[in-house]
């Protein structure tokens, strides 16, 4: 049965969620709801990294949740049901190199989790914020790239291993070709207020989890370099095509590939202005 309502308890909770995109692959939504939280208080959807540790990523936000009365929800895509990058980072968009029907892509899941929280009465907000780190940062920016994310008024992609480029000349996931998208879709993505959040010490080139396929290496030797590359590429593409450009690149000094530290920095930016 498809899940249409979520009503988390106060404190930590873990709720089963069955999404219509792939109803045979259940998801767990790890939540934290402060005792002081009211339905009109902020909500942050958190996308975990490659360890599929949504419970830990939820916990990274608890201090900010208590301080700012934030409802935190981390949809968790387990390795057993969503193995490898193709079935999480890349959104189950392709099957053997060919685009699957759009209804089966994962990038609509965060919006539907938010809708289920609204339907369950946990929040009355019309918009949420979305933070993704590492593999979750790949997920977050590709969500916007493929035309999803209207439920979010702020999306932050923190320390992704590599990026999809805003061009139809390269096939997904390197670019947006082969998905049936058009120039208007590229323009829409460039005009979305997406934040690339880059730790300036995320520079380890020997990290075994750093994507090392030729398309990724073409973007730079490490995650920090790739963040600068994609922002410059996108800005140039927008200027070349005469399109609005709303992305931001924000550097987090002194931080490497650290989901907890990047979460704290994101919370500081969103809720404390710095």
């Amino acid at each position: 049965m498809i899940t249409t309502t979520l009503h988390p308890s106060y404190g930590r909770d873990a709720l089963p969620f069955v999404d219509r995109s792939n109803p045979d692959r259940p998801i767990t939504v790890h939540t934290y709801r402060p005792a002081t939280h009211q339905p009109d208080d902020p909500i942050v959807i958190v996308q975990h990294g490659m360890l599929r540790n949504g419970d830990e990523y939820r916990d990274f936000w608890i201090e900010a949740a208590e301080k700012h009365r934030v409802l935190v929800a981390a949809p968790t895509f387990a390795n057993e049901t969503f193995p490898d990058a193709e079935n999480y980072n890349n959104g189950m968009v392709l099957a053997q190199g060919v685009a699957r029907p759009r209804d089966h892509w994962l990038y609509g899941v965060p919006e539907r989790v938010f809708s289920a929280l609204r339907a369950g009465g946990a929040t009355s907000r019309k918009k949420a914020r979305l933070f993704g780190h590492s593999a979750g940062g790949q997920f977050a920016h590709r969500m916007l790239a493929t035309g999803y994310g209207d439920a979010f008024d702020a999306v932050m992609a923190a320390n992704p291993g590599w990026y999809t480029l805003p061009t139809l000349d390269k096939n997904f996931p390197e670019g947006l070709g082969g998905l049936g998208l058009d120039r208007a879709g590229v323009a829409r993505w460039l005009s979305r207020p997406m934040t690339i959040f880059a730790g300036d010490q995320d520079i380890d080139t020997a990290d075994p989890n750093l994507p090392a396929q030729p398309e990724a290496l073409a973007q730079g030797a490490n995650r920090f370099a790739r963040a600068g590359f994609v922002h410059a590429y996108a800005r140039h593409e927008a200027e070349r095509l005469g399109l609005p450009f709303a992305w931001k690149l924000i550097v987090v000094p002194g931080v490497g590939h650290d989901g907890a530290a990047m979460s704290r920095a994101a919370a500081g930016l969103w809720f404390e202005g710095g």
Side-chain angles (χ1 to χ4, degrees), residues 193-214:
M194 183 179 79
T195 298
I196 299 169
F197 211 46
D200 70 356
Q201 296 305 300
D202 199 351
I203 55 176
D204 184 2
T205 59
D207 180 352
N209 297 319
L210 178 69
Q213 64 268 46

Side-chain angles (χ1 to χ4, degrees), residues 7-13 31-39 66 70-72 121-123:
H7 188 77
S9 302
Y10 291 107
R12 292 180 177 87
D13 206 351
T31 62
Y32 187 80
R33 189 180 182 195
T36 57
H37 180 264
Q38 298 296 318
E66 286 290 345
V70 178
L71 172 61
V72 181
T123 180

Side-chain angles (χ1 to χ4, degrees), residues 121-136:
T123 180
S124 59
R125 300 282 289 223
K126 294 182 179 179
K127 297 279 187 177
R129 301 176 190 235
L130 186 139
F131 170 85
H133 179 259
S134 193

Side-chain angles (χ1 to χ4, degrees), residues 92-134:
M92 292 185 67
V93 168
L94 302 178
Q96 297 180 333
V98 178
R100 303 170 78 228
R102 189 175 176 88
D103 286 348
H104 295 290
W105 298 1
L106 292 186
Y107 295 130
V109 171
E111 292 181 85
R112 290 191 284 273
V113 166
F114 176 49
S115 294
L117 290 165
R118 281 175 50 86
T123 180
S124 59
R125 300 282 289 223
K126 294 182 179 179
K127 297 279 187 177
R129 301 176 190 235
L130 186 139
F131 170 85
H133 179 259
S134 193

Side-chain angles (χ1 to χ4, degrees), residues 3-195:
T3 307
T4 56
T5 61
L6 290 172
H7 188 77
S9 302
Y10 291 107
R12 292 180 177 87
D13 206 351
L15 305 172
F17 185 80
V18 178
D19 186 67
R20 68 173 188 249
S21 62
N22 294 277
D24 57 331
R25 304 188 191 206
I27 295 163
T28 300
V29 181
H30 290 281
T31 62
Y32 187 80
R33 189 180 182 195
T36 57
H37 180 264
Q38 298 296 318
D40 61 345
D41 287 330
I43 176 170
V44 174
I45 305 294
V46 178
Q47 294 296 146
H48 57 74
M50 66 163 294
L51 296 181
R52 314 306 178 93
N53 50 340
D55 55 344
E56 292 184 313
Y57 271 84
R58 180 257 333 261
D59 288 355
F60 295 159
W61 282 81
I62 287 178
E63 182 179 353
E66 286 290 345
K67 188 174 182 179
H68 302 288
R69 302 196 314 193
V70 178
L71 172 61
V72 181
T76 303
F77 299 82
N79 265 317
E80 293 75 16
T81 42
F82 298 92
D84 306 319
E86 290 300 321
N87 293 293
Y88 176 49
N89 317 17
N90 298 349
M92 292 185 67
V93 168
L94 302 178
Q96 297 180 333
V98 178
R100 303 170 78 228
R102 189 175 176 88
D103 286 348
H104 295 290
W105 298 1
L106 292 186
Y107 295 130
V109 171
E111 292 181 85
R112 290 191 284 273
V113 166
F114 176 49
S115 294
L117 290 165
R118 281 175 50 86
T123 180
S124 59
R125 300 282 289 223
K126 294 182 179 179
K127 297 279 187 177
R129 301 176 190 235
L130 186 139
F131 170 85
H133 179 259
S134 193
Q138 291 188 48
F139 185 103
H141 86 275
R142 292 185 180 120
M143 178 191 74
L144 292 183
T146 51
Y148 294 91
D150 287 344
F152 304 108
D153 55 9
V155 174
M156 187 176 291
N159 293 346
W162 75 301
Y163 296 84
T164 293
L165 303 176
T167 177
L168 298 173
D169 296 336
K170 300 177 185 293
N171 285 338
F172 188 83
E174 184 182 9
L176 291 171
L179 302 183
L181 300 175
D182 57 15
R183 184 177 180 274
V186 176
R188 182 173 183 270
W189 182 26
L190 290 169
S191 69
R192 296 293 301 271
M194 183 179 79
T195 298

